[in-house]
Amino acid sequence: MALALEPLNDAFVAEARGIDLSRPIDAATAAAVEAAMDRHAVLVFRGQPLDEDQQLAFTRWFGPLDLGLKKVFRAPNRLRHEESIDISNVGLDGKVLARDSKKMFSNLANQLWHSDSSFQLPPAKYSLLSAQVVPPHGGDTEFADMRAAYDALPDDMKRRIDGLVSEHWALHSRILLGDADYTEEEKAIIPPVEWPLVRRHPGSGRRSLFIGVHARRILGMSLPEGRMLLLDLLEHATQPAFVYRHRWRVGDLVMWDNRCVLHRGRHFDPAVRRELRRSTTEDVAWAQGNAA
Ligand SMILES: [Fe+2]
């Protein structure tokens, strides 16, 4: 069967059907998925309960696999593959973690609007999140369309931010939440990176805001002025008009484009089990300077 798409909202999210992700796909199918991602930016595949190998095999079609913050948090992995990122509240013993465990802090940081791995070079291109166990209440994931958000900015704001560059840092979101107990060595593992506030999304040709909680300052501005501007932009960009909220079902696989979408998890009872598994690709084209 061929890929079939049904828009879930006006702009940037579609349900994708017609492909069995548990089986190997071919280059033509991968190209069709990539074209759909350029058109929409978030694809929802329902009823695809993938194991780790199946998820990673599908993800690899879209670029080298990213490890992100795993380079800093060298904790033992509950999952079999290093490239599988454990978005769960479960420990190595299979039990739900204590609410003051370090991994729980990561889960909380995931509830701030961000673009995966925007703090590193290369940043992330696509992330894929597979739902294994979902809580009965809460724990949704929201996505915000940064192309539509840019288009809707007033002209004077577009002029104001044109050419500005922000600095993203891996631990900024953690420190913002008060999880600041890092050694100098850990802080230095992923050095800060600089990104234009406005980038052109290569697949669609549209301009897009590149912001989120990893952005900690704007070059050439005082910290307060830069942070206030980042907060203003984030508030604008995450208005309901630009946001899709995904209510997870077991077996969902949701795929999004970090180059033009922000996302955040939503609150759930930390005592209730939630298990999702993420795989992410690197944006090699941007890292090589091919996207402008
Ligand atoms: Fe994330």
Side-chain angles (χ1 to χ4, degrees):
M1 272 180 78
L3 179 66
L5 300 166
E6 182 182 328
L8 290 180
N9 70 357
D10 289 341
F12 73 112
V13 185
E15 182 169 343
R17 300 200 188 98
I19 312 175
D20 179 354
L21 301 182
S22 70
R23 300 165 64 94
I25 62 166
D26 58 19
T29 303
V33 171
E34 187 130 3
M37 288 293 287
D38 284 340
R39 196 155 61 248
H40 295 285
V42 180
L43 294 183
V44 175
F45 299 83
R46 299 275 196 190
Q48 305 261 6
L50 304 183
D51 65 24
E52 274 186 66
D53 292 307
Q54 291 163 339
Q55 181 175 350
L56 292 178
F58 178 60
T59 307
R60 278 198 177 91
W61 278 100
F62 308 105
L65 300 180
D66 173 45
L67 294 178
L69 273 178
K70 279 193 166 185
K71 294 192 280 279
V72 180
F73 304 127
R74 290 181 183 142
N77 192 356
R78 194 173 63 93
L79 304 176
R80 283 193 300 117
H81 296 287
E82 192 180 29
E83 299 89 349
S84 294
I85 298 162
D86 184 20
I87 308 293
S88 81
N89 56 354
V90 177
L92 291 173
D93 60 0
K95 293 182 180 151
V96 172
L97 289 160
R99 23 190 343 141
D100 61 350
S101 72
K102 199 78 170 168
K103 190 165 159 54
M104 286 298 207
F105 297 160
S106 285
N107 290 345
L108 290 168
N110 283 337
Q111 294 176 18
L112 298 164
W113 286 109
H114 65 282
S115 167
D116 285 336
S117 293
S118 74
F119 48 72
Q120 66 172 27
L121 192 67
K125 182 180 179 185
Y126 296 157
S127 287
L128 295 84
L129 202 48
S130 167
Q132 324 294 309
V133 179
V134 300
H137 308 290
D140 300 342
T141 300
E142 290 182 328
F143 300 92
D145 181 357
M146 293 301 106
R147 299 174 298 187
Y150 177 79
D151 290 346
L153 283 173
D155 286 343
D156 63 337
M157 182 60 103
K158 285 182 181 165
R159 280 193 294 274
R160 187 178 162 207
I161 64 175
D162 187 37
L164 290 181
V165 173
S166 70
E167 181 186 87
H168 291 226
W169 187 46
L171 296 178
H172 183 56
S173 63
R174 269 69 180 172
I175 291 170
L176 201 66
L177 288 180
D179 173 30
D181 184 20
Y182 295 100
T183 64
E184 292 306 313
E185 187 190 19
E186 286 172 323
K187 288 179 184 174
I189 291 173
I190 304 179
V193 290
E194 296 172 1
W195 301 117
L197 264 186
V198 181
R199 309 194 314 177
R200 194 171 291 284
H201 178 251
S204 62
R206 293 175 64 190
R207 291 186 143 215
S208 184
L209 284 172
F210 199 59
I211 52 177
V213 76
H214 301 312
R216 68 169 175 177
R217 70 184 184 107
I218 293 183
L219 272 59
M221 273 188 196
S222 67
L223 270 184
E225 188 184 2
R227 287 191 180 167
M228 206 57 241
L229 175 58
L230 288 165
L231 287 168
D232 278 345
L233 289 170
L234 192 62
E235 185 173 320
H236 161 84
T238 55
Q239 296 174 70
F242 311 128
V243 172
Y244 163 74
R245 185 178 187 117
H246 187 72
R247 293 188 163 79
W248 291 101
R249 297 180 209 158
V250 171
D252 285 353
L253 182 99
V254 177
M255 176 173 186
W256 68 91
D257 187 339
N258 287 291
R259 299 171 301 179
C260 61
V261 169
L262 293 183
H263 63 285
R264 65 174 178 178
R266 301 303 282 145
H267 175 78
F268 60 98
D269 181 349
V272 175
R273 182 176 291 260
R274 181 178 186 262
E275 292 184 45
L276 296 99
R277 190 200 309 125
R278 176 159 70 80
S279 49
T280 294
T281 66
E282 295 178 340
D283 183 9
V284 179
W286 182 277
Q288 293 172 340
N290 295 338

